[in-house]
Amino acid sequence: QTGMFTYDPGFLSTASCQSTITYIDGDKGELLYRGYPIEQLATQCDFLETCHLLLYGELPDAKGKEEFTRRVTMHTMVNEQMQFFLRGFRRDAHPMAVMTGLVGALSAFYHDSTDINNPEHREISAIRLIAKMPTLVAMAYKYAMGQPYIYPKNSLSYTGNFMRMMFATPCEEYEPNDVLVRAMDRIFILHADHEQNASTSTVRLCGSSGTNPFAAIAAGVACLWGPAHGGANEAALNMLHDIQRNGGVEKIGEFIKQVKDKNSGTKLMGFGHRVYKNYDPRAKLMQETCREVLAELGLENDPLFKLAMALEKIALEDEYFVSRKLYPNVDFYSGIVQRAIGIPVSLFTAIFALARTVGWIAQLNEMISDPEYKIGRPRQLYDGSTRRDVRPIAQR
Ligand code: SDX
């Protein structure tokens, strides 16, 4: 309520654009990428096929997949100068601070793909960004660990290459575990796009000024970092650790009570969504992936997974959550899977950014390709002082 106007603080949630890429039915808990249900893509396709679908509107046939994979693979290395950007950071810098810097810095190297209004530049910058994000995320991880960077090995799959760059060292090769690589690939698919979420809207608004694609994607990385958005997976795992430290399953009731106390400011991280008022379909798939990975590693009794399942069960039966239509979202289980795969919690949101880059690019290119598009310029409801005159300081 603001004096003469009433408005929804989330008024940006009104339709901000028209799109053909991703469809969400929040009431049904349905998610489609270019018309394909996320359940089918996550179980029958891999991430590069999904990238092709989001970018060009169709799943590739075998020949098309081979060609797309070849093009991406040819761009997995980054300019050697990129190492010097990393050296400017403290070793304990948050990986999202590093990624925000590195992705923006890419625009300093690829002058043949910075003109967002040139379709060829858009095409090559899309391939470069998809190809280089795994390399950059792995470099951010190695830098934090104080280990040497591992260069891409292009005989490996996209996700197998990423896992090797993350976990191989000069002393020991990374022995890929197919279940873990497949789980990582599925996590990429589940995070690839999600309609006009905060970071995608940021990329669209930033790109609408005609800035280069790398800068627009860097803006998306910065927005995704927030705990209400992509940072929720890190916050959800830290929340589970806290509950575990304070008594675990037996103490869930106390935690739920704290969440219900508005003054506590405590949220059930990984729950609730601006659009889903039903179970986030990605959360179901993430839970299944969690089971598969934990079973593969002989961790079926992982206490955090058991705690998450118990927390979900209680929340889904509790009037506070039911009446507010709060269900698990993509971030509730993703942290447990990534932790089991060996990804450090500080890197979870960077992994989210790696996967969401293709969605950001697809949405940005869709906007820029529309000849009618103009620079975004949201308006406001002004409720400040009416016109008045400045008085000399002695009279203020
Ligand atoms: C992502 O937009 C996207 O698509 C994002 C994303 C993507 O793929 O890009 O899906 C990724 O960001 C998922 C969301 C991750 N964030 C979290 O898990 C953080 C915890 N969730 C909350 O911060 C919250 O649910 C939001 C921000 C996600 C949505 O907040 P809203 O719009 O306020 O939710 P709502 O309007 O449905 O809230 C209704 C009520 C409010 O209480 P009342 O004022 O009615 O008393 O539910 C409360 C909220 O305070 N509430 C929660 C809660 N989420 C909402 N209470 C406790 N725990 C929560 N998690």
Side-chain angles (χ1 to χ4, degrees):
Q1 194 74 24
T2 63
M4 52 190 161
F5 295 106
T6 38
Y7 73 103
D8 160 19
F11 73 97
L12 268 179
S13 58
T14 53
S16 56
C17 70
Q18 204 168 327
S19 178
T20 62
I21 299 171
T22 293
Y23 172 74
I24 302 171
D25 182 323
D27 293 327
K28 283 182 10 193
E30 183 179 43
L31 170 59
L32 310 176
Y33 289 168
R34 302 279 192 184
Y36 291 102
I38 191 67
E39 295 81 0
Q40 293 182 26
L41 293 169
T43 50
Q44 298 174 44
C45 299
D46 67 19
F47 180 62
L48 278 191
E49 288 174 272
T50 307
C51 287
H52 188 285
L53 173 66
L54 289 168
L55 285 178
Y56 307 119
E58 294 301 337
L59 284 169
D61 59 16
K63 193 166 176 319
K65 179 177 178 180
E66 191 185 330
E67 173 56 14
F68 184 69
T69 303
R70 185 193 65 77
R71 292 177 62 216
V72 170
T73 305
M74 295 315 291
H75 290 278
T76 49
M77 279 177 65
V78 295
N79 188 297
E80 282 291 285
Q81 294 295 98
M82 290 296 282
Q83 299 182 43
F84 301 109
F85 283 100
L86 279 139
R87 282 193 200 158
F89 288 100
R90 287 172 38 146
R91 292 275 182 182
D92 62 354
H94 193 288
M96 286 300 276
V98 177
M99 288 305 294
T100 306
L102 291 182
V103 175
L106 286 175
S107 50
F109 292 93
Y110 300 111
H111 302 298
D112 63 343
S113 56
T114 51
D115 176 1
I116 203 163
N117 291 303
N118 177 330
E120 285 163 23
H121 282 219
R122 284 203 298 274
E123 177 62 25
I124 181 63
S125 58
I127 296 292
R128 279 191 166 124
L129 278 158
I130 292 167
K132 295 180 194 307
M133 283 301 275
T135 309
L136 294 177
V137 172
M139 286 175 77
Y141 173 62
K142 287 303 197 185
Y143 183 73
M145 296 292 285
Q147 290 181 3
Y149 305 123
I150 299 295
Y151 283 89
K153 191 172 180 185
N154 290 342
S155 55
L156 297 175
S157 69
Y158 181 87
T159 305
N161 208 357
F162 169 65
M163 301 280 271
R164 179 177 173 277
M165 289 190 282
M166 281 285 295
F167 299 121
T169 65
C171 333
E172 261 182 65
E173 249 314 327
Y174 170 68
E175 293 306 325
N177 172 316
D178 291 346
V179 173
L180 302 192
V181 173
R182 178 67 195 134
M184 190 82 256
D185 195 79
R186 185 177 295 176
I187 288 171
F188 291 163
I189 293 173
L190 294 178
H191 286 88
D193 192 50
H194 210 240
E195 203 220 65
Q196 306 312 317
N197 56 85
S199 54
T200 299
S201 302
T202 300
V203 170
R204 279 181 174 256
L205 192 56
C206 182
S208 71
S209 72
T211 190
N212 71 77
F214 304 99
I217 300 303
V221 174
C223 175
L224 186 74
W225 190 358
H229 190 11
N233 51 20
E234 180 176 344
L237 193 79
N238 291 334
M239 171 192 74
L240 291 170
H241 275 307
D242 288 346
I243 300 171
Q244 191 65 10
R245 267 195 297 274
N246 295 314
V249 177
E250 289 69 45
K251 295 287 183 185
I252 287 184
E254 281 177 40
F255 175 74
I256 294 284
K257 217 163 90 189
Q258 199 185 336
V259 168
K260 292 179 185 175
D261 170 10
K262 285 281 181 198
N263 300 322
S264 76
T266 306
K267 288 219 179 223
L268 181 46
M269 299 311 281
F271 258 67
H273 198 275
R274 293 307 310 268
V275 177
Y276 288 122
K277 300 308 170 190
N278 198 327
Y279 212 107
D280 182 335
R282 301 169 299 175
K284 280 195 188 106
L285 290 158
M286 200 64 86
Q287 189 191 87
E288 282 164 29
T289 306
C290 216
R291 282 184 204 286
E292 286 167 21
V293 167
L294 293 173
E296 172 70 14
L297 298 171
L299 298 171
E300 293 88 340
N301 295 317
D302 176 71
L304 279 195
F305 183 55
K306 285 190 169 307
L307 177 61
M309 299 279 285
L311 197 48
E312 174 187 328
K313 185 172 181 312
I314 291 173
L316 294 184
E317 291 162 2
D318 185 297
E319 182 48 27
Y320 177 92
F321 297 92
V322 174
S323 63
R324 291 171 174 79
K325 298 185 177 177
L326 300 177
Y327 293 87
N329 60 51
V330 67
D331 293 309
F332 191 60
Y333 289 102
S334 73
I336 303 172
V337 195
Q338 293 185 70
R339 168 179 157 270
I341 291 174
I343 307 282
V345 63
S346 62
L347 212 68
F348 289 176
T349 312
I351 298 276
F352 193 152
L354 185 166
R356 185 55 57 90
T357 291
V358 63
W360 288 330
I361 295 166
Q363 298 271 353
L364 175 60
N365 288 354
E366 178 179 67
M367 175 187 75
I368 296 288
S369 321
D370 174 355
E372 300 299 313
Y373 101 89
K374 290 187 175 57
I375 183 167
R377 179 55 174 89
R379 289 309 307 273
Q380 62 178 12
L381 292 172
Y382 179 71
D383 193 31
S385 302
T386 50
R387 182 187 166 79
R388 54 183 170 161
D389 298 324
V390 173
R391 286 177 293 156
I393 192 163
Q395 295 172 27
R396 288 178 208 157

